[in-house]
């Protein structure tokens, strides 16, 4: 019997449904997710623990109900990219990322550019977050470079770069990195 290799970004069905529900609905308790998905609480609990261990979701705050506190979860930065890979609605995801990660301009820009990019390039972003726990400008450069190699549609690339201009700090850093690459080019 051959073993099928499972990619680190692939999720079992219930975990995928949880990630997509969080991306669409925002922060939720385990019970709220259980009701929305119509799944058994024990399965949801195990899925939440697995997603939390993998760094895809985390507890954001607590909710008080009948003098008890219940944890409320949402996606981590990596979880937002995993949600994109699994087809989460970009607009809802971006809205929540703007609320919960207001200072992460690179993540916001990456999500906004996602409609112009090949979904496969987000594997770069999620692997960067696994390694460094954040996206940086070099990762964004890698995403755009891989996009250029996998899809030669210049209209899409132009639109992605126009989106980048909406984020001045990221755009400036991107231009600076491009100029450094140009300087290195003369030695190659």
């Amino acid at each position: 019997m051959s073993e099928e290799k499972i990619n680190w970004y692939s999720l079992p069905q219930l975990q995928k449904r949880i990630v997509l529900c969080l991306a669409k609905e925002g922060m939720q308790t385990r019970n709220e997710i259980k009701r929305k998905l119509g799944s058994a609480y024990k399965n949801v609990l195990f899925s939440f623990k697995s997603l939390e261990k993998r760094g895809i979701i985390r507890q954001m705050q607590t909710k008080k109900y009948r003098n008890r506190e219940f944890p409320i979860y949402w996606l981590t930065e990596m979880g937002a990219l995993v949600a994109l890979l699994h087809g989460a609605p970009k607009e809802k995801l971006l809205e929540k990322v703007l609320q919960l990660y207001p200072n992460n301009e690179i993540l916001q820009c990456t999500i906004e550019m996602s409609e112009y990019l090949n979904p496969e390039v987000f594997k770069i972003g999620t692997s960067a977050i696994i390694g460094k726990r954040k996206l940086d400008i070099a990762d964004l450069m890698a995403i755009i470079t891989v996009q250029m190699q996998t899809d030669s549609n210049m209209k899409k690339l132009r639109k992605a770069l126009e989106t980048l201009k909406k984020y001045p700090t990221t755009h400036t850093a991107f231009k600076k990195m491009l100029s450094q690459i140009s300087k290195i080019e003369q030695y190659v």
Side-chain angles (χ1 to χ4, degrees), residues 4-20:
E4 184 179 325
K5 185 177 178 185
I6 298 175
N7 294 320
W8 54 264
Y9 53 83
S10 67
L11 299 172
Q13 190 60 33
L14 181 57
Q15 290 180 23
K16 179 180 173 180
R17 290 175 57 213
I18 290 170
V19 166
L20 292 175

Side-chain angles (χ1 to χ4, degrees), residues 16-169:
K16 179 180 173 180
R17 290 175 57 213
I18 290 170
V19 166
L20 292 175
C21 186
L22 288 171
K24 193 186 308 182
E25 303 288 332
M27 294 189 293
Q28 304 280 309
T29 64
R30 291 182 294 240
N31 260 331
E32 290 168 335
I33 293 287
K34 173 193 125 6
R35 276 191 300 258
K36 286 182 180 165
L37 299 181
S39 190
Y41 183 78
K42 191 173 183 177
N43 295 339
V44 170
L45 178 65
F46 285 129
S47 293
F48 264 75
K49 286 183 179 185
S50 178
L51 288 167
E52 205 169 7
K53 185 177 178 181
R54 290 175 78 179
I56 295 172
I57 64 170
R58 72 181 173 110
Q59 181 180 334
M60 301 297 277
Q61 52 188 271
T62 57
K63 181 179 190 177
K64 206 165 194 169
Y65 179 73
R66 294 186 181 175
N67 293 326
R68 288 184 61 197
E69 288 192 1
F70 297 92
I72 299 175
Y73 295 88
W74 202 66
L75 304 169
T76 61
E77 293 165 325
M78 179 176 66
L81 292 179
V82 169
L84 269 177
L85 275 170
H86 288 285
K90 181 197 79 136
E91 295 79 20
K92 286 278 189 184
L93 188 60
L94 182 59
E95 177 186 316
K96 301 299 179 189
V97 164
L98 287 168
Q99 290 172 358
L100 298 170
Y101 300 112
N103 299 326
N104 193 333
E105 194 176 274
I106 294 174
L107 179 63
Q108 296 163 12
C109 179
T110 304
I111 291 171
E112 194 168 342
M113 287 190 329
S114 68
E115 69 183 276
Y116 308 115
L117 302 176
N118 180 342
E120 293 294 307
V121 300
F122 293 107
K123 293 175 186 175
I124 295 167
T126 48
S127 64
I129 292 174
I130 286 172
K132 300 181 285 189
R133 293 285 172 216
K134 66 176 188 155
L135 272 178
D136 62 25
I137 198 67
D139 304 318
L140 189 58
M141 178 70 82
I143 287 171
I144 291 174
T145 304
V146 170
Q147 174 65 27
M148 288 169 40
Q149 293 172 348
T150 59
D151 186 359
S152 60
N153 186 336
M154 289 307 288
K155 285 183 184 177
K156 280 184 177 180
L157 185 60
R158 223 176 272 124
K159 287 183 179 183
L161 293 174
E162 286 171 14
T163 301
L164 180 64
K165 289 178 183 177
K166 293 181 185 178
Y167 297 90
T169 306

